[in-house]
Amino acid sequence: MSKRDDISVKRIIIFLFIASMTITMGLVGFLVYFNWHASAREITERISNSISTSIYNEIGSFMIGPYHVNEVNHFHLENGGYDLADTRARERFFAGVLEAHDEHIYSFSYGSAEGEYYGARRNEMGEIEIMRNNATTGGESWYYSVGEDYTPGERVVQAGIFDPRTRDWYRESEASGIPTFSPIYRHFVMDDLSISAAWPIYNSQGGFEGVLGTHMLLGEIGSYLSGTVEEFQGDAIIFEKESGRLIANSMGADNFNVLEDGSFERIGIEDLGNSEILDAYGEYRELGTASFAYESAGGDRLVNIRELSLHGLEWVIMTAIPEGLLMERVNESLALTLLLVLSALVISGIIYNLITNRMFRPVEDLLSAAEKLSAGDLTQRVEIVRKDEIGRISESFNMVAGRMQYLINNLEDAVSERTVELDRAYSSLEENKDHLQLILDSTAEAIFGIDLEGRCTFCNRSSLELLGYRTQEDLIGQTLHSKIHHSHQGGMPYHMDYCKILKSVRDGVGVTSEDEVFWKRNGTSFPVEYHSFPQVKDGRVIGAVVTFMDITERKERESKIKHLTYHDNLTGLLNRLGFEDVMDWLDVGDKLPISIIFADINGLKLTNDIFGHTAGDRLIRKASEILVHSTRSQDTVARIGGDEFVILLPRTDRKSAGEVVSRIRKGFSNTTVEAIKCSISLGYDTKTTPEESMEEIMANAENMMYKDKTINRRAVNKGMISNIQETLYSSNPREKGHSMNVSRLAAEIGAELGLREAELSRLKRAGYLHDIGKITLDKDVLSTDAALDEEAEIVKQHSVVGYRLLNMFDETVDLAEYIYSHHEHWDGSGYPRGLAGEQIPLLSRILAVAEVYERVLNGGEGPLEQRRKDAIEKMRNGSGSQFDPRVVNALIRIAGRE
């Protein structure tokens, strides 16, 4: 009895249950804790990177605001769009610009080379005031309240003598000759730091006129930083890279001190008294790393550092959040989970022991009955208490005992009866064999069997058809590896030692594959998905059953789907998803240095809007061809946006990347699509060490591209307008002469009407460009009389097209309205809007008269004097209906002097 207790199955099962539960839960607990800890660290790093990126982008957008204000508005001053001598127009201009922007831009002004100072500002209440400082104010700055129509009200402030030429923002912009930001200074009224964006203004002869300035407060940056990092218990500061002086911080600390004499003193990062920030700053200065973790008294903190460089600004943005931000909750959850697991383990052990004791009682009765039966007591039976597995065993035991008793008592009859049963079983086996083969041949899936040596033991009809054999005898008994599985798809031999099918026989485990091929009788191959299952008899593996199917169509579909997933449908280049995969793959040490070129097509929106998206698609495809032809076969060109491309250049230093950029620019230099001269903005950067981030290198290349686009924007725009004009005039040389004559004649009419010089200049430019919208007309239309018939529907669209085209360029936006309305009639019967009388801009009315007069004068036949009389007669007939009578009279006076 003691021996039986020593090997009790019940005790072994209980022991194994407790041991397995303990080990499993311990392993699961360890894995859960490890994964939680790793996930918490990864999420914290993502949060840190996200906060740093968000702050960098927001501050960049915040600081580019005043620069953009200057960029948009300096054209008006340089091109005569606003006459500073016109007090009403000047003050509406400055007040309107300031009203259109956020309140952190507190002033928008212009200081002239003679010391005059004009503009608008926001007072302490946020209300806009007009500013004057010239000879009439005695050099003092006078401020006036502003009405709803931007006209000045009463004078509210009379400040002292002020000369803008003494200000840092004025002097630095004048000295450098380029747009720039001023050093940071304290606002003269509000208790806040300020900065100014300055833009030098030059006249048409290149002479210096003055400086346009947009001035903004920096106090909102600190509030933004606090709101961004407060939720994550972090800190954020912004300081100047060279001096380390503070610009803004999230800790509520002062960024400057006001001294007793009223002057102010900037606070440096070392004056914060925060040892953790100083340690992080010291590590950044020493190692130059942009993202790292450092130890502090309150625990490790994750630090991200970004450098912001904008037109004279060199700022550093530092963020730090606790590395253990999420670990406190992780540890609490783990402790609760551990308590619940231990409780569940104890309760499960108790319940399992009670159930096991109850379940094993019938087993003990069965053992006792078996011992008595083996001792010769054939009458022994077991009481069946349950209909479970043990109950069925007990029932089988009783049947065996009864059968044994019966056979022993009736041995001869039993032998005879058994012989008959064996004959019947054999017949049934033969029938089942035929039936099994019929079932196998009826299945669509191909099936065959092999023995331990890999020889075929059976196969169905589908396998014969897929492999190209006629009968089973062609395969049965043959070694199938050498018949159908001997080589890879490319023809390289597939050794038997590595065959997965034979491995399933050797190891006794099932295998599946869908990246191999089977070979047909005719020597061709096809991709297959197969499953090999070992055949087991009496505990031994005797072979395997293999099922397979032809997956050629599936592979083709997968290949197409993969190509569409990673490639751009229009150009065939990699898309953003494909580019990111390649970038990750190339970001390894042996590919260094890696250069990235960021490219952005200029004029795509213009092409789409004016010539349609089909022309825009041609521009994109042409650009992609130039980029591919300018790079090597091992380089990667990808289209990651509508007009954005990225090029990856492995093993390419910065100098070689610059040479690629030069080839690209050369490829674009003489290329046009429709009437648009192709051009592209480019930026590049190079990763030279493994520690550098590819994302940061790409961001640097993108920033350089935007700088290139900003710097060359004016030249590109002028090039596009010039190319559109040249294309139009090359199709119809008469149009060029017509435009030049209309420009000259319109200027003469304007002078006759007493227009100012700025308006005459604008009128002359508008006359030269008034028919630029005809660029969308077919050559056949331009070369026929239909082009002269201003009432033809197809021609009527050219004023709308011209309006849309000129609105796209800062240099011509002031002309768009005049081009749009130059076919309106004095009596309201014109197009496109049906304007009448004074509703039509004066310059448009002048263009209408000049254009028709020029067409009649130079477009007909006969002597010049007769054509001039006909033209004047047409003007008189149209006066008061088609044309403004006052403009017609001015034209007749001019014609009379010729």
Side-chain angles (χ1 to χ4, degrees):
M1 193 69 180
S2 62
K3 291 182 179 180
R4 190 160 52 202
D5 290 343
D6 290 342
I7 59 172
S8 170
V9 174
K10 178 178 70 175
R11 293 183 180 179
I12 292 174
I13 290 175
I14 293 175
F15 173 76
L16 290 177
F17 170 77
I18 295 175
S20 63
M21 287 287 288
T22 303
I23 294 173
T24 300
M25 291 185 177
L27 289 174
V28 170
F30 173 76
L31 291 175
V32 168
Y33 177 77
F34 179 81
N35 287 332
W36 282 1
H37 186 277
S39 297
R41 172 63 186 265
E42 181 180 354
I43 292 172
T44 304
E45 289 178 350
R46 289 180 181 176
I47 291 173
S48 177
N49 291 332
S50 176
I51 291 173
S52 178
T53 301
S54 175
I55 292 176
Y56 176 82
N57 292 336
E58 187 68 23
I59 298 303
S61 298
F62 184 85
M63 294 306 300
I64 205 67
Y67 180 89
H68 179 68
V69 173
N70 289 344
E71 180 185 25
V72 170
N73 291 287
H74 84 279
F75 293 108
H76 299 301
L77 296 181
E78 289 187 342
N79 296 327
Y82 291 99
D83 184 3
L84 293 180
D86 186 341
T87 302
R88 178 177 174 80
R90 179 191 71 222
E91 294 180 344
R92 292 187 65 184
F93 166 65
F94 283 104
V97 170
L98 188 60
E99 175 70 22
H101 293 85
D102 295 336
E103 292 187 358
H104 65 269
I105 296 179
Y106 71 85
S107 178
F108 176 55
S109 63
Y110 171 75
S112 72
E114 290 75 28
E116 296 177 338
Y117 191 50
Y118 305 109
R121 72 168 187 180
R122 287 186 171 91
N123 60 22
E124 297 88 338
M125 304 300 294
E127 299 169 343
I128 295 178
E129 296 175 351
I130 292 295
M131 177 172 55
R132 299 176 186 171
N133 186 333
N134 53 25
T136 61
T137 68
E140 295 183 345
S141 294
W142 293 359
Y143 296 89
Y144 298 83
S145 62
V146 177
E148 293 183 358
D149 58 350
Y150 298 129
T151 57
E154 62 179 5
R155 187 170 63 192
V156 293
V157 176
Q158 180 175 345
I161 297 296
F162 176 77
D163 189 342
R165 295 172 296 183
T166 64
R167 294 300 181 180
D168 289 342
W169 57 270
Y170 185 101
R171 289 185 297 185
E172 291 205 7
S173 181
E174 180 184 15
S176 64
I178 60 173
T180 186
F181 279 97
S182 72
I184 294 175
Y185 58 92
R186 183 192 176 206
H187 190 271
F188 59 89
V189 174
M190 302 179 189
D191 189 20
D192 200 352
L193 293 180
S194 304
I195 194 170
S196 299
W199 196 295
I201 303 299
Y202 297 91
N203 57 30
S204 58
Q205 289 77 35
F208 177 75
E209 292 282 331
V211 177
L212 187 66
T214 301
H215 317 280
M216 61 185 291
L217 300 173
L218 301 179
E220 289 186 12
I221 298 180
S223 301
Y224 165 73
L225 295 180
S226 299
T228 301
V229 301
E230 180 180 9
E231 178 183 355
F232 305 99
Q233 305 170 21
D235 298 318
I237 61 172
I238 303 176
F239 56 89
E240 294 175 342
K241 181 177 180 180
E242 293 299 325
S243 66
R245 289 182 293 189
L246 292 182
I247 298 165
N249 66 86
S250 65
M251 291 86 74
D254 292 333
N255 299 305
F256 64 93
N257 290 325
V258 179
L259 303 179
E260 293 181 358
D261 60 358
S263 62
F264 84 108
E265 177 184 47
R266 296 281 301 280
I267 294 177
I269 190 173
E270 65 279 358
D271 300 324
L272 279 176
N274 189 320
S275 60
E276 297 178 356
I277 293 295
L278 287 177
D279 291 343
Y281 175 64
E283 186 165 345
Y284 159 68
R285 292 295 296 269
E286 181 179 352
L287 302 179
T289 53
S291 180
F292 55 88
Y294 74 93
E295 296 182 1
S296 67
D300 290 354
R301 296 172 72 83
L302 298 178
V303 176
N304 268 281
I305 294 177
R306 296 289 188 93
E307 294 184 0
L308 179 65
S309 179
L310 283 174
H311 309 289
L313 293 184
E314 294 293 337
W315 290 1
V316 176
I317 302 172
M318 177 188 296
T319 60
I321 67 170
E323 185 180 30
L325 181 64
L326 304 178
M327 282 307 298
E328 182 177 352
R329 292 189 177 181
V330 170
N331 292 331
E332 292 176 357
S333 299
L334 184 63
L336 178 60
T337 302
L338 180 61
L339 178 61
L340 293 175
V341 167
L342 292 176
S343 301
L345 183 62
V346 172
I347 295 173
S348 298
I350 295 172
I351 295 174
Y352 189 78
N353 184 58
L354 294 174
I355 293 175
T356 303
N357 288 333
R358 180 176 178 82
M359 297 299 293
F360 268 83
R361 283 199 195 102
V363 175
E364 294 174 354
D365 294 339
L366 182 61
L367 290 174
S368 176
E371 289 176 356
K372 293 179 181 178
L373 181 64
S374 63
D377 185 1
L378 298 180
T379 62
Q380 186 64 40
R381 300 293 186 270
V382 179
E383 179 183 2
I384 300 173
V385 296
R386 294 194 304 266
K387 289 294 184 178
D388 56 7
E389 289 83 353
I390 296 176
R392 290 197 294 273
I393 293 174
S394 299
E395 185 176 345
S396 298
F397 174 84
N398 291 340
M399 292 176 63
V400 169
R403 188 65 175 168
M404 289 177 62
Q405 186 177 14
Y406 172 79
L407 289 176
I408 291 174
N409 294 332
N410 302 278
L411 185 57
E412 286 188 15
D413 293 340
V415 171
S416 176
E417 182 181 347
R418 187 60 177 166
T419 301
V420 173
E421 289 178 354
L422 288 174
D423 289 338
R424 292 173 180 171
Y426 180 76
S427 299
S428 177
L429 182 61
E430 288 295 322
E431 292 177 1
N432 290 338
K433 180 179 178 182
D434 295 338
H435 185 61
L436 177 60
Q437 185 63 46
L438 178 62
I439 293 174
L440 290 175
D441 289 338
S442 300
T443 60
E445 192 171 21
I447 306 174
F448 66 82
I450 58 172
D451 60 16
L452 294 176
E453 303 300 323
R455 294 186 293 266
C456 180
T457 57
F458 70 88
C459 61
N460 69 345
R461 188 184 308 278
S462 294
S463 63
L464 293 174
E465 292 175 352
L466 286 179
L467 297 171
Y469 292 94
R470 292 187 295 274
T471 63
Q472 291 185 354
E473 285 69 24
D474 293 333
L475 291 180
I476 293 179
Q478 299 291 320
T479 302
L480 289 188
H481 182 82
S482 60
K483 279 277 191 183
I484 68 172
H485 202 204
H486 50 77
S487 302
H488 294 281
Q489 184 174 6
M492 186 176 67
Y494 192 6
H495 198 275
M496 294 180 65
D497 292 343
Y498 303 105
C499 176
K500 295 179 181 179
I501 296 175
L502 296 178
K503 180 177 175 63
S504 73
V505 176
R506 292 194 300 267
D507 298 345
V509 294
V511 297
T512 298
S513 176
E514 55 182 23
D515 56 359
E516 300 179 19
V517 298
F518 280 177
W519 294 83
K520 296 183 178 182
R521 184 176 186 177
N522 62 8
T524 62
S525 64
F526 60 94
V528 295
E529 177 185 349
Y530 68 76
H531 305 269
S532 179
F533 303 96
Q535 283 183 298
V536 180
K537 182 178 181 181
D538 298 331
R540 289 189 309 109
V541 176
I542 61 172
V545 175
V546 180
T547 63
F548 67 95
M549 65 179 65
D550 185 345
I551 58 172
T552 301
E553 293 184 0
R554 189 213 298 176
K555 289 288 186 180
E556 291 175 352
R557 289 195 303 271
E558 290 174 351
S559 178
K560 290 180 181 178
I561 292 172
K562 184 176 181 180
H563 185 272
L564 292 174
T565 301
Y566 291 98
H567 288 78
D568 173 46
N569 191 41
L570 178 61
T571 63
L573 301 175
L574 289 176
N575 58 19
R576 180 177 287 276
L577 184 61
F579 166 74
E580 290 175 351
D581 281 355
V582 171
M583 184 170 68
D584 292 339
W585 176 72
L586 286 177
D587 191 12
V588 293
D590 64 341
K591 300 294 191 298
L592 294 177
I594 300 176
S595 292
I596 295 180
I597 299 176
F598 203 100
D600 187 279
I601 302 174
N602 297 319
L604 178 60
K605 185 178 187 303
L606 170 66
T607 306
N608 286 332
D609 289 351
I610 303 303
F611 299 100
H613 286 275
T614 300
D617 290 346
R618 289 200 298 273
L619 176 59
I620 292 172
R621 285 194 293 269
K622 188 65 179 178
S624 68
E625 292 172 5
I626 295 173
L627 294 177
V628 171
H629 291 159
S630 302
T631 55
R632 306 166 300 185
S633 58
Q634 64 266 36
D635 300 330
T636 300
V637 182
R639 181 189 178 205
I640 63 171
D643 52 4
E644 293 179 340
F645 294 83
V646 175
I647 305 175
L648 275 177
L649 305 166
R651 300 188 182 96
T652 304
D653 57 22
R654 187 174 183 85
K655 179 181 178 183
S656 299
E659 294 172 354
V660 175
V661 168
S662 298
R663 287 200 299 273
I664 294 172
R665 294 192 193 279
K666 184 177 180 181
F668 276 87
S669 61
N670 295 315
T671 303
T672 60
V673 172
E674 295 294 344
I676 302 300
K677 179 176 177 61
C678 297
S679 68
I680 195 165
S681 297
L682 299 164
Y684 63 96
D685 197 12
T686 302
K687 175 177 178 176
T688 57
T689 63
E691 292 76 19
E692 293 178 283
S693 166
M694 287 292 284
E695 288 76 12
E696 186 172 349
I697 297 300
M698 185 170 173
N700 292 341
E702 184 177 9
N703 289 336
M704 183 177 177
M705 181 276 293
Y706 281 121
K707 290 181 180 178
D708 179 39
K709 182 178 286 290
T710 300
I711 293 171
N712 297 307
R713 177 180 178 182
R714 190 171 184 180
V716 169
N717 290 347
K718 286 185 177 179
M720 287 184 180
I721 296 174
S722 298
N723 198 72
I724 291 172
Q725 290 175 302
E726 291 173 4
T727 303
L728 174 62
Y729 298 150
S730 65
S731 301
N732 191 345
R734 169 73 183 91
E735 286 294 326
K736 182 174 183 179
H738 171 69
S739 296
M740 294 175 66
N741 290 335
V742 170
S743 175
R744 174 189 56 77
L745 183 56
E748 291 179 0
I749 295 173
E752 183 71 19
L753 293 174
L755 298 185
R756 292 178 300 175
E757 189 64 32
E759 291 179 311
L760 291 177
S761 174
R762 195 177 303 119
L763 183 58
K764 191 172 183 179
R765 290 162 53 219
Y768 190 66
L769 297 173
H770 75 283
D771 276 343
I772 196 170
K774 290 184 178 179
I775 188 63
T776 59
L777 298 178
D778 292 338
K779 294 180 181 179
D780 295 339
V781 175
L782 284 173
S783 62
T784 63
D785 292 338
L788 300 177
D789 183 4
E790 299 299 347
E791 302 303 319
E793 288 299 324
I794 192 171
V795 180
K796 283 185 178 181
Q797 297 301 315
H798 79 277
S799 60
V800 178
V801 173
Y803 173 77
R804 291 166 55 193
L805 194 154
L806 296 178
N807 255 321
M808 294 182 179
F809 302 102
D810 293 334
E811 295 84 354
T812 59
V813 68
D814 58 329
L815 308 179
E817 178 62 29
Y818 309 129
I819 305 304
Y820 191 38
S821 304
H822 80 282
H823 281 292
E824 301 287 357
H825 291 175
W826 183 257
D827 61 2
S829 63
Y831 63 87
R833 292 177 290 179
L835 302 180
E838 298 293 336
Q839 293 178 324
I840 308 171
L842 175 59
L843 271 62
S844 299
R845 286 178 263 151
I846 295 174
L847 290 176
V849 170
E851 180 180 42
V852 174
Y853 180 81
E854 199 283 334
R855 290 280 189 202
V856 177
L857 180 66
N858 298 315
E861 298 179 354
L864 176 62
E865 277 305 315
Q866 184 60 45
R867 283 185 277 130
R868 180 176 287 110
K869 290 179 181 179
D870 293 342
I872 292 174
E873 184 64 25
K874 183 173 181 62
M875 294 298 102
R876 285 182 174 143
N877 292 337
S879 179
S881 57
Q882 183 175 354
F883 308 119
D884 180 353
R886 188 164 66 98
V887 178
V888 171
N889 292 335
L891 171 67
I892 292 174
R893 290 196 298 272
I894 295 171
R897 292 195 291 267
E898 293 182 353

